[in-house]
Structure formats: structure tokens, C-alpha cells
Amino acid sequence: MTRQGPGTSEDVRWALSQLDLPDAPNVLDAACGPGADLVTLAEALPRARIEGIDQLPHLVEEARAATARFTNVTVSTGDMAQISGFYDLIWCAGALYFLGVTEGLTLWRRALTTDGAVAFSEPVLSPEAPQAARDFWADYPAISDLDGITARVEAAGYTVLNHRLITGMAWAEYYAELGGRIATLRPGADTALSQVLDAALREITLWRQAPGDIAYALILARPGFGPT
Ligand SMILES: C[S@@+](CC[C@H](N)C(=O)[O-])C[C@H]1O[C@@H](n2cnc3c(N)ncnc32)[C@H](O)[C@@H]1O
């Protein structure tokens, strides 16, 4: 897979356009997976020093291969809960929920520069969402609407600077690639792999029942109270 969750290079570029980063910023992609967003960050910020970190060594290898042509990108195996800074931007696509929004942002505060910011994508569920969307997120009880995410951000002493939704095409592209992987891996799959493929297929089936109501919110946040 080129990425391990829904998101597009346009999301990364939008986030960068909203932030007043220094000319040569220090940037971390926390839980970079196979490195798709590292490539976009490197293309958009040629003067930046960019690090990627993921806990899974095989994904780190893939991210290194994806970013091999960039001399300003390094990727390492590690725990995003243990990072030390200082970063002008911590980018985290589809992974902050592993730490918890409030818990992760609290940990990362000490790894940010004075004006540093965090951009992260987080599952979001509108109060009006149909049951099919609720079923999709059944395994993530912490899910909330945008106000709920904002409250979790503020509980860490951060302010939400801006947000936008990641929905529709980003999810369709992700599940198209996942469906292709399932089809490739299915022949000859052993019991353990078959169970993984079945679970992935179930996820795609659930998504297809409410594609317009299943979304991530891409949140831009900064320590402190009120916009600076
Ligand atoms: C849904 S994937 C998203 C990956 C990538 N950001 C992307 O969009 O393709 C979640 C990633 O979080 C990583 N991860 C989970 N907990 C982690 C931790 N504590 N430290 C580092 N990586 C972690 C997983 O290995 C996985 O690559």
C-alpha cells in the first residue's frame, strides 16, 4: 500500500498553506507508515529538515525507499510517544488516536518549538450521521463530532487553528488500493492471512454503506489559548 489510511497530498499542502512555517523548518511525520506524506512534505518544503518515525520496521523500510531521492529526509523506527524536538510542525495522519488526542498532544508539547504546530487527522462523526456510519466506527468508542475533537485538543492546552474534512475521494482511493491488495493476496492465503483479508473486506463493505458520512477531520492546532 502506498499509504495505510485515507489522505491525499492535497491535504498536506492545504495544512502547509495554513501555517506560517519558518523558511527551513524542522518537520516530523509521526507514524509515517510507508511514507506517502513524507514525499509530499519533501516536495513542498525543499529547505526543511524532515524526519519520519514509525513503530513498524517494514514500513520504515518502505518509507526510506519512497523518500530515497530526498537528501533532507530521514526515517527511523521508534515510538511516537517518545519523541524529543524541536519541531516546527508535527504531521500525524491517521495515528494520533493510538495515543489519544489529549494524551498525544500533551506529550508532544515539549517537542514543539515556540511557534510549533501539530496537524493530525482524526475520525469524526456528525450527530446527524446515519447508523451505517456509526457501525463503521463501532471499534472506536472515543469518536466524536468536531466540537468533541476541539474539546480534546483544548484539554491538552492547545487551540484549534483550522480544520477541514477528509472524505469522499481520499477514502475511495484508499479502499480501491486496499481492494486490489486483497485480490492479489487472496489466492493461497493461509488461515491467519485470510482472517486479515476478511476483516479488510468487511471494512470496505461497511464504508460503502455510508461513504459520504465517514470522515476524518484534519485538525491544525498549536499550544496556547486563542489564535496567535
Ligand atoms: C493508519 S496508519 C497511518 C500511516 C501513515 N500516516 C499514512 O497515512 O499512511 C497508522 C500508523 O501508526 C503507526 N503507529 C501506531 N502507534 C505508533 C507509535 N506509538 N509510534 C509510532 N508509530 C505508531 C503504525 O505502525 C501505522 O503505520
Side-chain angles (χ1 to χ4, degrees):
M1 300 282 287
T2 48
R3 52 183 313 127
Q4 293 283 317
T8 66
S9 58
E10 165 56 20
D11 296 317
V12 179
R13 290 179 192 279
W14 173 81
L16 296 178
S17 77
Q18 300 297 306
L19 297 168
D20 193 16
L21 291 175
D23 178 48
N26 284 327
V27 177
L28 174 71
D29 185 345
C32 62
D37 292 338
L38 282 171
V39 171
T40 308
L41 288 166
E43 287 171 346
L45 301 170
R47 288 174 51 76
R49 192 177 145 271
I50 301 169
E51 295 172 40
I53 184 175
D54 201 280
Q55 66 181 3
L56 294 179
H58 74 275
L59 292 181
V60 168
E61 284 309 314
E62 289 178 26
R64 282 186 182 139
T67 56
R69 68 185 190 277
F70 300 104
T71 54
N72 59 338
V73 179
T74 56
V75 191
S76 53
T77 307
D79 182 355
M80 64 178 169
Q82 307 282 340
I83 59 169
S84 53
F86 292 99
Y87 299 106
D88 300 293
L89 170 64
I90 299 175
W91 169 265
C92 184
L96 185 54
Y97 45 72
F98 288 112
L99 304 182
V101 170
T102 305
E103 295 79 359
L105 291 178
T106 301
L107 285 171
W108 288 350
R109 206 180 161 128
R110 60 173 181 258
L112 289 171
T113 57
T114 311
D115 292 325
V118 178
F120 68 97
S121 56
E122 168 71 8
V124 65
L125 188 64
S126 146
E128 294 86 38
Q131 187 58 41
R134 292 169 199 287
D135 293 345
F136 180 88
W137 293 115
D139 291 340
Y140 186 50
I143 195 161
S144 69
D145 61 7
L146 266 172
D147 287 345
I149 298 175
T150 300
R152 283 181 276 154
V153 169
E154 290 178 352
Y158 284 59
T159 298
V160 173
L161 303 172
N162 207 343
H163 81 274
R164 76 172 187 178
L165 295 183
I166 300 174
T167 186
M169 190 54 76
W171 291 75
E173 287 174 356
Y174 172 65
Y175 284 131
E177 190 178 4
L178 185 59
R181 286 296 285 158
I182 294 170
T184 302
L185 294 170
R186 184 69 82 183
D190 62 15
T191 310
L193 180 55
S194 292
Q195 285 172 356
V196 172
L197 299 180
D198 289 347
L201 200 54
R202 260 195 312 279
E203 184 180 323
I204 297 175
T205 306
L206 281 172
W207 173 74
R208 284 203 181 116
Q209 285 162 25
D213 293 285
I214 291 167
Y216 277 158
L218 177 55
I219 305 284
L220 309 183
R222 171 171 289 156
F225 296 97
T228 56

